[in-house]
Amino acid sequence: MKVLVTDPIADAGIQRLRAAGHDVETAYDVEGDALLDAVADANALIVRSGTEVTDEVLDAANDLVIVGRAGIGVDNIDIDAATEHGVIVANAPEGNVRAAAEHTVAMTFATARSIPQAHARLRGGEWAKGEFLGTELNGKTLGIVGLGRVGQEVAKRLGGLGMNLVAFDPYISEERADQLGADLADDLEECLDRADLITIHTPLTPETENMIGEDELATLGGGYVVNCARGGIIDEPALADAVESGQLKGAAIDVFAEEPVDPDNPLLDVDDVIVTPHLGASTEAAQENVATATADQVLAAFRGEPVMNALNAPSMDESAFPRVRPYIDLAETAGKIAVQLFDDRVEEVEISYEGDIAEEDLDLVTASALKGCFEPLEWQVNAVNAPRIAEERGIDVTETKSRSSEDFQSLVTVTVRNGDDEVSVCGTQFAGEDPRIVRIDGYRVDAIPHGHMLVARNDDVPGVIGFIGSTLGDHDVNIAAMFNARETIGGEALSVYNLDDPPSDEVFDAILDDERIIDVSYISLNGAAEDDE
């Protein structure tokens, strides 16, 4: 097999491929037509962040089996196009975990003791011993925002050095947090309020972009901020102002919203902000680990074995796929709706199948439901890695099947739980692959799972539906469809609205200001972006 490597990787990965008898060709910095020519007869393509793997590149590579990303980020790879071409995309997320955690620890001590600043002053001829009064970390509280793989490694290291741990992560179980010695905060504000120093370990998603802004930094007041995860999670001008004004003691930043960093970035001009140029994974061991891990996945693909870190859905039996395919998207959508309606930490996910669908092989459908549940906060979650994410975060997953269904030929139900609290969402497929959400927490509805959705719970009294419709209309939000259900006359009711546009905060405030409204939630589903165009 021919393996084309278009970005530099550690030699250990190349040697592993050659030792297995494969032809490895390196073509660094190749692009344009030259890249198309180079990949034409390749069976595997190994890249880092420098090569754009576009639909055009994949179209030119008729013999390509796998694209291996020597690292975690795959923004430069068109995964959908790869799936359409039948090409596996796999990354190496584990290889740099230890390096990123160690860099976080180093940055934590550097900002708490002003090590780079003192170094620079001494190199400049100043013995400024009396000007640097550091903070001892022993006995202080570390706030960990995101308790995933890197966050857990940081918790082990700094917890072992005497720090108290508090974490905010809606997708980690109490049991797993206890094992790490961390208290789980109910929300971000509590985590920041309790912490003397926070470290960020979340992916950059629409939900986490600028998650730490002026108000959040004020809550942390007097503390430190460390970010070795992703740029864009912290409002950089707000952080610069908070440190420069003395509201925060300091910060250590390895990642930026724009990289390479703009010379005018305000963080570069604040003495008590330590900056490094995205060095979290820059160790010899980490580079060797990601190279060999990527090589191992290429070898597994060549042998027809499972590729552990594949980022696109695995294939399944060709004859069964047409029957199962519509329920893959339906289960993912049901999971997204359930978790967005659930106002608590998820500790259990149950996926139930009733009717004809229960007779199929449903591993991929279950994984897609988990993807829907975890997607809001987890970096690169997909149908392949979702079960592993659930295991890592201590979330119990159960799957049940029943060949009988009272009302529908096939029914998929996704339930998220925390103790006695739960939210269930049921979906089915009508003729012609017409998906519908047919129950939410026992309420019978007939909702189209697409685009912008508003779900309201209210007292079942006259005028509420008209009030919600008028409020949306007053704010120029058009209702595309509406579905209503109730438990009993005069009890509670639930209504679902498909909207042409997302509702603003003002819409929420106006609706919730009415005492007849119990709660209201906005849900963004596949198709929302297209609706906005």
Side-chain angles (χ1 to χ4, degrees), residues 282-301:
S282 295
T283 68
E284 291 183 7
Q287 297 307 304
E288 182 169 319
N289 287 342
V290 297
T292 55
T294 303
D296 286 342
Q297 297 197 80
V298 169
L299 295 175

Side-chain angles (χ1 to χ4, degrees), residues 189-263:
E189 183 178 5
E190 179 190 347
C191 181
L192 297 174
D193 186 55
R194 293 176 57 184
D196 300 299
L197 181 149
I198 64 163
T199 177
I200 312 298
H201 299 289
T202 71
L204 178 63
T205 68
E207 289 76 16
T208 63
E209 186 173 8
N210 285 326
M211 180 174 65
I212 309 292
E214 182 178 348
D215 292 342
E216 289 75 19
L217 295 171
T219 302
L220 180 66
Y224 298 88
V225 172
V226 176
N227 185 16
C228 299
R230 283 290 183 270
I233 295 171
I234 300 175
D235 182 331
E236 293 174 351
L239 178 60
D241 289 343
V243 176
E244 190 167 32
S245 69
Q247 183 182 63
L248 295 178
K249 291 183 179 179
I253 305 298
D254 184 50
V255 289
F256 301 87
E258 179 184 338
E259 294 183 359
V261 67
D262 190 316

Side-chain angles (χ1 to χ4, degrees), residues 20 41 60 91 152 162 170 212 263 272 276 352 528:
D41 60 345
N91 63 353
Q152 291 183 23
I212 309 292
D272 289 325
T276 53
S352 301

Side-chain angles (χ1 to χ4, degrees), residues 389-401:
I389 290 170
E391 181 179 357
E392 289 175 348
R393 293 174 174 268
I395 297 173
D396 292 330
V397 178
T398 57
E399 177 186 303
T400 62
K401 294 182 178 182

Side-chain angles (χ1 to χ4, degrees), residues 175-504:
E175 180 181 2
R176 181 56 179 152
D178 288 343
Q179 292 172 355
L180 295 165
D183 292 334
L184 274 182
D186 291 333
D187 51 39
L188 178 60
E189 183 178 5
E190 179 190 347
C191 181
L192 297 174
D193 186 55
R194 293 176 57 184
D196 300 299
L197 181 149
I198 64 163
T199 177
I200 312 298
H201 299 289
T202 71
L204 178 63
T205 68
E207 289 76 16
T208 63
E209 186 173 8
N210 285 326
M211 180 174 65
I212 309 292
E214 182 178 348
D215 292 342
E216 289 75 19
L217 295 171
T219 302
L220 180 66
Y224 298 88
V225 172
V226 176
N227 185 16
C228 299
R230 283 290 183 270
I233 295 171
I234 300 175
D235 182 331
E236 293 174 351
L239 178 60
D241 289 343
V243 176
E244 190 167 32
S245 69
Q247 183 182 63
L248 295 178
K249 291 183 179 179
I253 305 298
D254 184 50
V255 289
F256 301 87
E258 179 184 338
E259 294 183 359
V261 67
D262 190 316
D264 294 327
N265 189 303
L267 292 174
L268 303 183
D269 295 327
V270 182
D271 289 340
D272 289 325
V273 176
I274 298 167
V275 291
T276 53
H278 206 146
L279 299 180
S282 295
T283 68
E284 291 183 7
Q287 297 307 304
E288 182 169 319
N289 287 342
V290 297
T292 55
T294 303
D296 286 342
Q297 297 197 80
V298 169
L299 295 175
F302 285 169
R303 295 191 295 262
E305 298 174 355
V307 178
M308 295 304 295
N309 289 315
L311 293 174
N312 44 356
S315 60
M316 64 182 305
D317 183 80
E318 185 175 354
S319 63
F321 186 70
R323 298 191 299 273
V324 172
R325 183 179 60 79
Y327 292 91
I328 294 172
D329 290 339
L330 181 64
E332 180 180 338
T333 299
K336 287 181 180 178
I337 295 174
V339 80
Q340 291 183 69
L341 290 176
F342 192 58
D343 190 24
D344 206 339
R345 181 175 296 107
V346 176
E347 293 192 343
E348 181 182 353
V349 179
E350 179 181 354
I351 303 97
S352 301
Y353 303 98
E354 300 174 39
D356 293 351
I357 189 64
E359 299 181 7
E360 304 291 346
D361 177 2
L362 297 170
D363 288 347
L364 181 55
V365 183
T366 294
S368 296
L370 293 176
K371 176 189 176 186
C373 290
F374 301 154
E375 195 171 51
L377 284 180
E378 182 61 35
W379 172 256
Q380 291 295 339
V381 64
N382 57 79
V384 177
N385 63 19
R388 185 185 65 193
I389 290 170
E391 181 179 357
E392 289 175 348
R393 293 174 174 268
I395 297 173
D396 292 330
V397 178
T398 57
E399 177 186 303
T400 62
K401 294 182 178 182
S402 173
R403 294 185 179 179
S404 62
S405 177
E406 292 182 4
D407 302 313
F408 302 96
Q409 186 171 349
S410 292
L411 191 70
V412 176
T413 303
V414 178
T415 304
V416 293
R417 291 193 184 94
N418 184 327
D420 294 331
D421 296 330
E422 66 177 41
V423 169
S424 292
V425 176
C426 306
T428 192
Q429 288 283 345
F430 291 163
E433 295 189 8
D434 185 13
R436 286 290 191 275
I437 298 302
V438 294
R439 293 194 195 109
I440 296 177
D441 273 354
Y443 292 95
R444 290 293 299 267
V445 297
D446 183 16
I448 301 169
H450 178 87
H452 307 288
M453 295 177 66
L454 190 75
V455 179
R457 295 177 189 265
N458 54 270
D459 295 333
D460 182 35
V461 295
V464 177
I465 293 175
F467 161 71
I468 294 176
S470 297
T471 303
L472 291 168
D474 290 343
H475 290 82
D476 295 324
V477 179
N478 191 50
I479 300 174
M482 179 266 175
F483 313 91
N484 184 65
R486 64 185 180 187
E487 294 177 331
T488 59
I489 297 175
E492 288 187 8
L494 180 142
S495 52
V496 180
Y497 303 82
N498 286 104
L499 307 177
D500 288 346
D501 302 289
S504 64

Side-chain angles (χ1 to χ4, degrees), residues 97-173:
V97 167
R98 185 179 298 108
E102 289 185 359
H103 192 63
T104 300
V105 172
M107 294 286 270
T108 299
F109 278 97
T111 187
R113 300 303 298 269
S114 302
I115 293 172
Q117 296 93 325
H119 167 82
R121 295 282 291 276
L122 187 55
R123 287 291 299 270
E126 297 182 64
W127 185 263
K129 179 179 179 180
E131 296 185 29
F132 295 102
L133 187 64
T135 297
E136 290 189 20
L137 298 181
N138 181 62
K140 298 297 189 298
T141 297
L142 173 69
I144 306 174
V145 181
L147 203 55
R149 289 186 292 267
V150 178
Q152 291 183 23
E153 291 300 316
V154 171
K156 293 174 186 176
R157 286 160 172 76
L158 291 177
L161 293 174
M163 294 198 77
N164 302 312
L165 307 178
V166 58
F168 170 62
D169 190 329
Y171 291 84
I172 199 78
S173 68

